[in-house]
Amino acid sequence: MNEIVSIYRRAHFNAAHRLFVSQWSDEENSEFFGKCSNPYYHGHNYELEVRLTGAIDPVTGFLFDMTRLKDLIKIHVEDRFDHKNLNVECAEFKHRNPTAENICVVIYNILREYIPVDIKLRVKLWETPRNYVSYPVD
Amino acid sequence: MNEIVSIYRRAHFNAAHRLFVSQWSDEENSEFFGKCSNPYYHGHNYELEVRLTGAIDPVTGFLFDMTRLKDLIKIHVEDRFDHKNLNVECAEFKHRNPTAENICVVIYNILREYIPVDIKLRVKLWETPRNYVSYPVD
Amino acid sequence: MNEIVSIYRRAHFNAAHRLFVSQWSDEENSEFFGKCSNPYYHGHNYELEVRLTGAIDPVTGFLFDMTRLKDLIKIHVEDRFDHKNLNVECAEFKHRNPTAENICVVIYNILREYIPVDIKLRVKLWETPRNYVSYPVD
Amino acid sequence: MNEIVSIYRRAHFNAAHRLFVSQWSDEENSEFFGKCSNPYYHGHNYELEVRLTGAIDPVTGFLFDMTRLKDLIKIHVEDRFDHKNLNVECAEFKHRNPTAENICVVIYNILREYIPVDIKLRVKLWETPRNYVSYPVD
Amino acid sequence: MNEIVSIYRRAHFNAAHRLFVSQWSDEENSEFFGKCSNPYYHGHNYELEVRLTGAIDPVTGFLFDMTRLKDLIKIHVEDRFDHKNLNVECAEFKHRNPTAENICVVIYNILREYIPVDIKLRVKLWETPRNYVSYPVD
Amino acid sequence: MNEIVSIYRRAHFNAAHRLFVSQWSDEENSEFFGKCSNPYYHGHNYELEVRLTGAIDPVTGFLFDMTRLKDLIKIHVEDRFDHKNLNVECAEFKHRNPTAENICVVIYNILREYIPVDIKLRVKLWETPRNYVSYPVD
């Protein structure tokens, strides 16, 4: 019987965004989201942690090749969102407010299809060192 | 169906304390707790992480307004314990030893009543960068 | 004779920017600055460290009141740049490219007039945890 | 009824290792593990977090004495692996590849026998600040 | 000719203190220092960095044995101030306000006599992760 | 007149080493360097900070292109030392003990020839989060 472990890999990207509900007026957005809804945008260094959970391979001692995981994150998350304006350039956020919660769910959905089905995935996303989000919950 | 996420917010406060069981003598306290029971007190930079778990609001993309969470922690935890002597000035610890475990439970109980009942709460408390506590457990 | 010390205070702000030399064409900017010149902007969590150097006051034991320093940084730097688009909303960067180098010099010049002349000032600015700048040099 | 909490303690050790499956040839190891299988070894600052979960003692306010936990980690983990070559000097890894996953499981098995049976144990091991592992999963 | 380098070693201690000028009344202290002058004390996790500057020994490749430096800090700083009330238990602060500036100077003066005269010494002291001090200046 | 600034870039590599003076016997090495001279090697996650000091280019707002600096460090330091055994595989340390002091000087000498002569260079090298070195001194 093989041990079940979690492995974690960190990555990061920088992006601009504004909090904005497309069915609301600018005034409603500004009232609800304050300076986070500044129409000229602001930005963050997003820090990302991807956790995989599954059985250790008894021969290699790996759950999943970290280099492959690093590359998957690079290709499907960093190259897609790094140095982008999330509201303007990323279709995922045309009708979905780019809150940390929603960005985290979007990244989970992107990565989910590249990870074997018998491996559980969780994504944690730091918007600042003091504010972060994880999805899904255990 | 809305996604269930966890959001995290960090805060901190500085306080003095000593480990002291009120029904024990000074000698018994000193023998059990060592230098942590120094009658003249010592202190820490307590670092706090509050985690909320619940469904993302499909319109706003928020689980809970981070600014409101920051303010709740400021008013009910930081203003209450920052720059205080926990043993002498905080009624919660008159008959409850201010160990990291107990401080963490006390902060949980304080915050619990300000968070909506359908949102799960967890508190993590660092006494030093190498020692910390979380409550409740998953 | 009083000891000369340095004191340090950290702060932060989040902002959007693009690297852009106004006398160059979009193509020239894009060729030189790459994705950092994305016309839709990207952003950062800027971390700031302000260092003051001078003599300890022999009565108070302070070089400068940390609370006052924190407030000066809040009013003159954080309130001015936090959640802003540096290129569009901040006059300092209309004709000065908002590189980390230039932002650091601008913040130095802003704070310099609020710090007593017999106290030396230095500003350190992190654009990411791996890239930062300081001004002036010792 | 006593509250159930988790307490965490951090420690570290430095060691050399190479990824190496003993039933494979050098070429197979090199092809699969790349530079991590360098026959001359490389090394890491391993950072360790031990988590205990159980009920707070209603008198002392402790789940487990942190000083005792620190000493257990020192004696049974740090003294055993610090400044060692894991492949050559540690019998556990003679026939078990010293991946982060396997080192984490080995440390769990070592510590498990020194922790009371009614207290749950989890070990988290950082191989680098960006790569880490935890065992067992919740 | 041997290269001149600086080496750095980190350490830490926890202590209680209050900011208090002994020639002032309680009211004057409270007005000037605010909650930092709370007569029941508060505390900090002080983080310490000791820097030595001098020539590398051409045979050993050391400027100074790090283990010996670690021990000097342990014996002369940590054992002296850890888990202490700086105002009440440490003679150095009977008539010298235990501000971060003054604690830093006191630690420098203590360590200076144990470091060879041809090696320069500098001490950096964190009162919190956002507030720190260094002495002497370069 | 252009402002003089310093810019900093961080990088890292993992390597094995042992402290060993080639003109000493194994016993002498072991007596002087203790477990750091283990003949089977141990290892570290070396963290590197490269600092450049010079004038900001008045047009670009750059002192030096960070992407080029990152690439220089990658090619000349990371690719050379990452996942290596410093004693066995790196000619620089055949007759020079791979202490943190010496590794830092070696990296400085390597990078110095790729940085323009009017730009000052300094290298800082962390062997562990608590032990580090910088060269040259200001």
Side-chain angles (χ1 to χ4, degrees):
Chain A
M1 205 202 69
N2 305 325
E3 294 94 348
I4 307 297
V5 297
S6 290
I7 63 169
Y8 306 73
R9 172 78 201 172
R10 294 230 174 177
H12 66 274
F13 59 93
N14 309 318
H17 79 150
R18 65 177 295 206
L19 298 187
F20 182 74
V21 171
S22 55
Q23 53 273 51
W24 290 359
S25 70
D26 269 4
E27 290 71 28
E28 287 170 312
N29 274 287
S30 172
E31 197 178 333
F32 191 84
F33 295 114
K35 62 184 178 181
C36 297
S37 197
N38 177 0
Y40 299 109
Y41 309 104
H42 64 284
H44 297 290
N45 301 329
Y46 290 97
E47 184 83 13
L48 182 71
E49 181 191 272
V50 173
R51 187 184 77 182
L52 305 186
T53 302
I56 301 180
D57 180 295
V59 175
T60 63
F62 273 2
L63 160 55
F64 192 88
D65 186 328
M66 272 290 188
T67 306
R68 213 180 122 215
L69 179 56
K70 178 186 169 185
D71 291 344
L72 286 174
I73 299 171
K74 172 78 171 58
I75 294 166
H76 300 293
V77 181
E78 292 180 65
D79 288 353
R80 188 166 177 163
F81 296 126
D82 190 36
H83 283 75
K84 291 288 169 58
N85 182 312
L86 300 178
N87 303 69
V88 175
E89 300 181 279
C90 301
E92 300 84 351
F93 302 108
K94 273 288 187 300
H95 300 292
R96 186 168 193 168
N97 193 3
T99 58
E101 288 91 329
N102 279 338
I103 302 171
C104 191
V105 170
V106 162
I107 291 173
Y108 173 86
N109 289 335
I110 290 170
L111 288 175
R112 183 60 270 185
E113 56 183 297
Y114 299 100
I115 306 295
V117 289
D118 57 333
I119 291 181
K120 267 181 69 183
L121 170 67
R122 190 196 66 176
V123 173
K124 209 165 181 176
L125 182 77
W126 281 257
E127 194 171 85
T128 75
R130 297 204 162 260
N131 285 356
Y132 41 110
V133 176
S134 67
Y135 175 77
V137 301
D138 293 322
Chain B
M1 206 203 66
N2 304 327
E3 293 93 350
I4 307 297
V5 297
S6 290
I7 64 170
Y8 306 74
R9 172 78 200 170
R10 294 232 173 175
H12 65 272
F13 59 94
N14 310 318
H17 80 149
R18 65 177 294 206
L19 297 188
F20 183 73
V21 171
S22 56
Q23 53 274 51
W24 291 358
S25 70
D26 269 4
E27 291 71 27
E28 287 170 311
N29 273 288
S30 173
E31 196 178 334
F32 191 84
F33 295 115
K35 63 185 178 178
C36 297
S37 198
N38 176 0
Y40 299 110
Y41 310 104
H42 64 283
H44 297 290
N45 302 329
Y46 290 98
E47 185 82 13
L48 182 71
E49 180 192 272
V50 173
R51 187 184 76 182
L52 305 185
T53 302
I56 302 180
D57 180 294
V59 175
T60 63
F62 274 4
L63 159 57
F64 192 87
D65 185 329
M66 271 289 188
T67 305
R68 214 181 121 215
L69 178 56
K70 178 186 169 186
D71 291 345
L72 286 173
I73 299 170
K74 173 79 171 60
I75 294 167
H76 299 294
V77 181
E78 293 180 64
D79 289 353
R80 189 166 176 162
F81 295 124
D82 190 36
H83 284 75
K84 291 286 168 58
N85 183 313
L86 300 178
N87 303 70
V88 175
E89 301 181 279
C90 300
E92 300 84 350
F93 302 108
K94 273 289 187 297
H95 301 293
R96 185 168 194 167
N97 193 3
T99 58
E101 288 91 329
N102 278 338
I103 302 171
C104 191
V105 170
V106 161
I107 291 172
Y108 172 86
N109 289 335
I110 290 170
L111 286 175
R112 184 60 271 184
E113 56 183 297
Y114 299 101
I115 306 296
V117 289
D118 56 334
I119 290 180
K120 268 183 66 182
L121 170 67
R122 191 197 65 177
V123 173
K124 210 165 182 174
L125 183 77
W126 282 256
E127 195 170 83
T128 75
R130 296 205 163 259
N131 285 356
Y132 41 110
V133 176
S134 67
Y135 176 78
V137 300
D138 293 322
Chain C
M1 204 203 68
N2 305 326
E3 294 92 351
I4 308 297
V5 297
S6 290
I7 63 170
Y8 306 73
R9 172 78 200 172
R10 295 231 174 178
H12 65 272
F13 59 94
N14 310 318
H17 81 149
R18 65 177 294 207
L19 297 187
F20 183 74
V21 171
S22 55
Q23 53 274 51
W24 291 359
S25 69
D26 269 5
E27 289 72 27
E28 288 170 311
N29 274 287
S30 174
E31 196 179 332
F32 191 84
F33 295 115
K35 61 185 178 179
C36 297
S37 198
N38 176 1
Y40 299 110
Y41 310 104
H42 64 284
H44 297 289
N45 302 329
Y46 290 97
E47 186 82 12
L48 182 72
E49 181 191 272
V50 173
R51 186 184 77 182
L52 304 185
T53 301
I56 302 180
D57 180 296
V59 175
T60 63
F62 273 3
L63 160 57
F64 192 87
D65 185 329
M66 271 289 189
T67 306
R68 212 180 123 215
L69 179 57
K70 177 185 171 187
D71 290 345
L72 286 174
I73 299 170
K74 173 80 171 58
I75 294 166
H76 299 293
V77 181
E78 293 181 63
D79 289 354
R80 188 166 176 162
F81 296 125
D82 191 35
H83 283 75
K84 291 286 167 58
N85 182 313
L86 299 178
N87 302 70
V88 175
E89 300 181 278
C90 300
E92 300 84 351
F93 302 108
K94 273 287 187 296
H95 301 293
R96 186 169 193 168
N97 193 3
T99 58
E101 289 90 330
N102 279 336
I103 302 171
C104 191
V105 170
V106 161
I107 291 173
Y108 173 85
N109 289 334
I110 290 169
L111 286 175
R112 184 59 272 185
E113 57 183 297
Y114 299 101
I115 306 296
V117 289
D118 57 332
I119 290 181
K120 268 182 66 183
L121 170 67
R122 191 197 65 178
V123 173
K124 210 166 181 174
L125 183 77
W126 281 256
E127 195 171 84
T128 75
R130 294 202 166 261
N131 286 355
Y132 42 111
V133 176
S134 67
Y135 175 79
V137 300
D138 293 322
Chain D
M1 206 203 65
N2 304 326
E3 294 92 350
I4 307 298
V5 298
S6 290
I7 65 169
Y8 305 73
R9 173 76 200 172
R10 294 230 174 177
H12 66 272
F13 59 94
N14 309 319
H17 80 149
R18 65 177 294 207
L19 298 187
F20 183 74
V21 171
S22 55
Q23 54 274 52
W24 290 359
S25 70
D26 269 4
E27 291 70 28
E28 287 170 311
N29 273 288
S30 174
E31 196 178 336
F32 191 84
F33 296 114
K35 62 185 177 179
C36 297
S37 197
N38 177 0
Y40 299 110
Y41 310 104
H42 64 283
H44 297 290
N45 301 328
Y46 290 97
E47 184 82 13
L48 182 71
E49 180 192 272
V50 173
R51 186 183 77 181
L52 305 185
T53 302
I56 302 179
D57 180 295
V59 175
T60 64
F62 273 4
L63 159 56
F64 192 87
D65 185 329
M66 272 288 190
T67 304
R68 213 180 122 216
L69 179 56
K70 178 186 169 185
D71 291 345
L72 286 173
I73 299 171
K74 173 78 171 61
I75 294 166
H76 300 293
V77 181
E78 293 180 63
D79 289 353
R80 187 165 178 164
F81 296 124
D82 191 35
H83 283 76
K84 292 285 169 57
N85 183 313
L86 299 178
N87 303 69
V88 174
E89 301 181 278
C90 300
E92 300 85 351
F93 302 108
K94 273 287 186 299
H95 300 293
R96 187 170 194 166
N97 194 2
T99 58
E101 288 90 330
N102 279 337
I103 302 171
C104 190
V105 170
V106 162
I107 291 173
Y108 172 87
N109 289 335
I110 290 170
L111 287 175
R112 184 60 271 184
E113 56 183 297
Y114 300 101
I115 307 295
V117 290
D118 56 333
I119 290 181
K120 267 182 68 182
L121 169 67
R122 190 198 65 179
V123 173
K124 210 168 181 173
L125 182 76
W126 281 256
E127 195 171 82
T128 75
R130 296 203 162 260
N131 285 356
Y132 41 110
V133 176
S134 66
Y135 175 77
V137 301
D138 294 320
Chain E
M1 206 201 67
N2 304 325
E3 294 93 349
I4 308 298
V5 298
S6 290
I7 64 169
Y8 306 73
R9 172 76 200 173
R10 295 230 174 180
H12 66 273
F13 59 93
N14 309 318
H17 80 150
R18 64 177 296 207
L19 298 187
F20 183 73
V21 171
S22 56
Q23 53 273 53
W24 290 359
S25 70
D26 269 5
E27 291 70 28
E28 288 170 311
N29 273 287
S30 173
E31 197 178 333
F32 191 85
F33 295 114
K35 61 186 178 179
C36 297
S37 197
N38 177 1
Y40 299 110
Y41 310 103
H42 64 283
H44 297 289
N45 301 329
Y46 289 98
E47 185 83 11
L48 183 70
E49 181 193 273
V50 173
R51 187 184 76 182
L52 304 185
T53 303
I56 302 180
D57 179 296
V59 175
T60 63
F62 273 4
L63 160 57
F64 192 87
D65 186 329
M66 272 289 189
T67 306
R68 212 180 122 216
L69 179 56
K70 179 186 169 185
D71 291 345
L72 286 174
I73 300 171
K74 173 79 172 58
I75 294 166
H76 300 293
V77 180
E78 294 181 62
D79 288 354
R80 188 166 177 162
F81 296 126
D82 190 36
H83 283 75
K84 291 287 167 58
N85 183 313
L86 300 179
N87 303 70
V88 174
E89 299 181 279
C90 301
E92 300 83 352
F93 301 107
K94 272 286 187 297
H95 301 292
R96 186 169 193 167
N97 194 3
T99 57
E101 288 91 330
N102 279 337
I103 302 171
C104 191
V105 170
V106 162
I107 291 173
Y108 172 86
N109 289 335
I110 290 170
L111 287 175
R112 183 60 271 185
E113 55 183 296
Y114 299 101
I115 306 296
V117 289
D118 56 334
I119 290 181
K120 267 183 68 183
L121 169 67
R122 191 197 65 177
V123 173
K124 210 165 180 176
L125 182 78
W126 281 257
E127 194 170 85
T128 75
R130 297 204 162 260
N131 285 356
Y132 42 111
V133 176
S134 66
Y135 175 77
V137 300
D138 294 321
Chain F
M1 207 201 67
N2 304 325
E3 293 92 350
I4 308 298
V5 298
S6 290
I7 64 170
Y8 306 73
R9 173 76 201 174
R10 295 230 176 178
H12 65 272
F13 59 93
N14 309 319
H17 79 150
R18 65 177 294 207
L19 297 187
F20 183 74
V21 171
S22 55
Q23 54 272 55
W24 291 359
S25 70
D26 269 4
E27 291 70 28
E28 288 169 312
N29 274 288
S30 174
E31 196 178 335
F32 191 84
F33 295 115
K35 62 185 176 179
C36 297
S37 197
N38 177 1
Y40 299 110
Y41 310 103
H42 64 283
H44 297 289
N45 302 328
Y46 291 97
E47 185 82 12
L48 182 71
E49 181 192 272
V50 173
R51 186 184 77 181
L52 304 185
T53 302
I56 302 180
D57 179 295
V59 175
T60 64
F62 273 3
L63 160 57
F64 192 88
D65 185 329
M66 272 288 190
T67 305
R68 213 181 121 214
L69 179 56
K70 178 186 169 186
D71 291 346
L72 287 174
I73 300 171
K74 173 79 171 59
I75 293 167
H76 300 292
V77 181
E78 294 180 63
D79 288 354
R80 188 166 178 162
F81 296 124
D82 191 36
H83 283 75
K84 292 285 168 57
N85 183 312
L86 299 179
N87 302 69
V88 174
E89 300 182 277
C90 300
E92 300 85 351
F93 303 107
K94 274 287 187 298
H95 301 292
R96 187 168 192 167
N97 194 2
T99 58
E101 289 90 329
N102 278 337
I103 303 171
C104 190
V105 170
V106 162
I107 291 173
Y108 172 86
N109 288 336
I110 290 171
L111 287 175
R112 183 60 271 184
E113 55 183 298
Y114 299 101
I115 306 294
V117 289
D118 56 333
I119 291 181
K120 269 182 65 182
L121 169 68
R122 192 198 64 179
V123 173
K124 209 167 182 174
L125 182 77
W126 281 256
E127 195 171 83
T128 75
R130 295 202 164 261
N131 285 356
Y132 40 111
V133 176
S134 65
Y135 175 78
V137 301
D138 293 322

